[in-house]
Amino acid sequence: MADRFEHTRRAVLAMAAGTIAATMAVPAAAAWRPMQPRIVALDNLHTGERIKAPFWENGRYVPDALKHFDWLLRDYRTDEVRAIHPSLLDLLWHLQRTLRARDAIQVLSGYRSPATNAMLAATTDGVAQHSLHMRGMAIDIRVPGRSLVKVHRAALALGLGGVGYYPRSDFVHVDVGRVRRW
Ligand SMILES: [Zn+2]
C-alpha cells in the first residue's frame, strides 16, 4: 500500500505543479482570470497517508484528483474504495477556509463498507446503521491547532449538512446529507 500511495502522491504533486505553471503563464494584464482552484489537504490518521491537491479548478471537479481523495478516504480496514461525494470535499474546503487552517485536516473515518459499518454499529455507541459514511457522504475529522469547539461551531455555521459532536472521542462528524445536528 505504501508504494501505491507514494506513486499517487507524486502524481498529485506533479498535477499541482502543472496548475501553478498554467496559472503563471496567463499574462497579468489579461482581463480573464481563472477561477481560484479549490485545494484541500487531508491527513489520514489510520494510514499515515496525506494528500494536498486541487480537486476543483476552472469551474469543474478534477476527476484524477477525486480518485486520489477516494483512495485516501477508503475503508482502511478492508481497502474498499468508493467514490466520495465531491460536495463533501467542497464542505471541507469551506471549513478549512473558515478556520484558516494551516495544517491538513486529520481524518478518522471516511468511507465505510457495509461490513465495517455493521461491525462498528454493533460495537460502538453513536454509529448509525445506515450511516452516510457508507455512501461516501460523511467524514469524521479533527483540525490541528483548532479546538474541537471551534471546528464544531464552524461546521454548524456553514449549514451544508449534518454535524455530529463527539468530544469524548475528540472528533466532529460532518456530512452532506440533510442539515441536522446531534
Ligand atoms: Zn461520522
Side-chain angles (χ1 to χ4, degrees), residues 11-133:
V12 171
L13 291 173
M15 195 161 59
T19 303
I20 291 161
T23 306
M24 289 173 66
V26 177
W32 180 81
R33 301 182 82 197
M35 280 176 274
Q36 185 191 18
R38 295 184 173 186
I39 298 172
V40 158
L42 300 181
D43 177 4
N44 185 319
L45 294 184
H46 294 289
T47 62
E49 294 165 355
R50 291 166 162 260
I51 191 172
K52 182 176 185 179
F55 65 92
W56 187 94
E57 41 185 6
N58 300 319
R60 66 180 68 163
Y61 293 108
V62 183
D64 278 354
L66 295 182
K67 286 205 180 80
H68 295 303
F69 282 100
D70 294 346
W71 174 251
L72 184 126
L73 294 171
R74 71 190 180 280
D75 185 328
Y76 73 93
R77 291 177 173 90
T78 63
D79 270 348
E80 283 168 88
V81 181
R82 165 153 188 173
I84 297 300
H85 219 281
S87 54
L88 186 62
L89 297 178
D90 286 322
L91 187 157
L92 295 176
W93 180 75
H94 285 293
L95 200 57
Q96 209 178 238
R97 282 166 58 97
T98 308
L99 292 166
R100 296 173 191 273
R102 287 193 208 106
D103 299 318
I105 293 173
Q106 297 178 336
V107 179
L108 286 100
S109 182
Y111 169 63
R112 282 181 207 150
S113 65
T116 293
N117 198 75
M119 182 274 286
L120 291 174
T123 57
T124 316
D125 285 342
V127 174
Q129 268 184 347
H130 304 284
S131 163
L132 291 178
H133 284 278

Side-chain angles (χ1 to χ4, degrees), residues 109 112 131 133 138-140 166 171 173-174 182:
S109 182
R112 282 181 207 150
S131 163
H133 284 278
I139 189 167
D140 298 336
Y166 296 86
F171 71 81
H173 161 111
V174 290
W182 64 91

